Amino acid sequence: MNSQVTHFSLLLKVSTVAKIQTCYGRHMMQTSPTRLVPARLAWFIQELPAILIPLLLMLTSHKPYSVGKMLLLGTFCLHYFYRTFIYSFLVRGQPYPLNAMVGAIFFTSINGFLQGYYLLHCAQLNEWKTDCRFLLGLLLFYTGMAINIHSDYCLRNLRKSGEVIYKVPKGGLFEYVSAPNYLGEIVEWFGYAMATWGFPSLSFAVFTTCFIGPRAIYHHRFYNKKFKSYSKSRKALIPFLL
């Protein structure tokens, strides 16, 4: 228990460093000039540690692991495989602030270690085949991931290559909320937290909500301010509620 609480407190401390990411994309402050990195390169570099470090922890250990732990490790790495090797090569975002990228690298490195170490060496998954938390958690994770990927697809296809103008996103859960990609990611990590049933994964889910939840509200305000005909029935993050 003490080690779990330590992981939890460490992750919360890292969250203060990662807050600099709020200054990227459409919300980047123009009054604070900084070195910029191409968006695709930045996303690739900053997401890579989250998949490499858990895999290294597994490969450098001689301890046999249960199928349940391998399923959860694969689930965690699958998200970051998508982010690193697929999303980063498809994204069309603005250049990324160097300081935000460095902060993100620090966060994904620490988080990758905490999640991987807890899962491989601390988590108890002896009855995973019949544990409803495990099964429901994985269902939530993959549902959230599907929402996230589809929303990313809708956003990428809003603009033609070379266009820099903003358009109203449509399709899927965009008909109900302004940031379904963020909603999907939050669902993912709460599903993962349920499946692992540990403080490190729960703290990550809470951090994700605290970080991208407000960003979804900023997006919602941006759309309402920029597009006078923007749907008044759309919420920011949670359909019909928030």
Side-chain angles (χ1 to χ4, degrees):
M1 178 63 71
N2 288 336
S3 63
Q4 294 179 8
V5 173
T6 300
H7 294 166
F8 179 72
S9 62
L10 281 173
L11 191 56
L12 290 181
K13 290 178 182 178
V14 172
S15 72
T16 61
V17 177
K19 285 180 181 178
I20 57 176
Q21 287 198 67
T22 55
C23 294
Y24 71 86
R26 73 190 67 178
H27 307 299
M28 186 165 58
M29 291 181 291
Q30 302 299 323
T31 56
S32 302
T34 183
R35 293 179 180 272
L36 299 177
V37 181
R40 292 181 178 180
L41 178 62
W43 277 102
F44 179 82
I45 293 175
Q46 72 184 28
E47 302 294 295
L48 188 59
I51 187 173
L52 285 184
I53 292 176
L55 291 178
L56 286 173
L57 288 174
M58 181 188 70
L59 294 174
T60 55
S61 174
H62 301 293
K63 180 181 178 180
Y65 299 113
S66 68
V67 175
K69 289 190 176 185
M70 290 299 95
L71 281 174
L72 285 179
L73 183 67
T75 296
F76 181 82
C77 291
L78 180 62
H79 171 90
Y80 283 102
F81 178 87
Y82 165 71
R83 283 293 185 189
T84 305
F85 297 103
I86 299 177
Y87 176 81
S88 65
F89 291 99
L90 297 175
V91 69
R92 298 177 180 176
Q94 299 179 27
Y96 211 80
L98 178 62
N99 58 349
M101 186 188 78
V102 172
I105 292 171
F106 183 68
F107 173 77
T108 55
S109 298
I110 297 296
N111 188 51
F113 175 80
L114 292 180
Q115 303 303 329
Y117 184 86
Y118 171 78
L119 179 60
L120 296 174
H121 299 286
C122 303
Q124 301 296 323
L125 299 171
N126 298 326
E127 305 296 331
W128 63 272
K129 291 182 180 179
T130 56
D131 192 332
C132 61
R133 297 171 302 183
F134 184 93
L135 301 175
L136 180 58
L138 285 185
L139 177 62
L140 284 174
F141 179 92
Y142 287 107
T143 299
M145 189 170 187
I147 294 172
N148 184 261
I149 292 175
H150 180 260
S151 301
D152 286 342
Y153 172 81
C154 292
L155 287 173
R156 282 197 306 272
N157 287 276
L158 272 180
R159 296 177 290 191
K160 298 178 181 178
S161 180
E163 282 188 331
V164 293
I165 60 173
Y166 286 102
K167 297 181 180 180
V168 176
K170 298 179 180 179
L173 286 180
F174 277 111
E175 302 301 322
Y176 302 95
V177 294
S178 297
N181 49 330
Y182 293 159
L183 172 63
E185 189 161 349
I186 290 171
V187 171
E188 276 187 72
W189 295 124
F190 272 104
Y192 182 76
M194 179 179 291
T196 60
W197 206 251
F199 276 113
S201 51
L202 177 61
S203 63
F204 181 36
V206 171
F207 162 71
T208 299
T209 303
C210 293
F211 180 46
I212 63 179
R215 193 166 178 82
I217 295 175
Y218 298 153
H219 280 14
H220 187 66
R221 291 174 180 171
F222 172 86
Y223 287 130
N224 275 290
K225 182 177 180 180
K226 188 170 184 64
F227 303 102
K228 301 303 180 184
S229 60
Y230 194 69
S231 175
K232 300 302 180 183
S233 63
R234 281 193 198 185
K235 299 299 182 180
L237 183 65
I238 303 175
F240 313 114
L241 295 176
L242 175 63

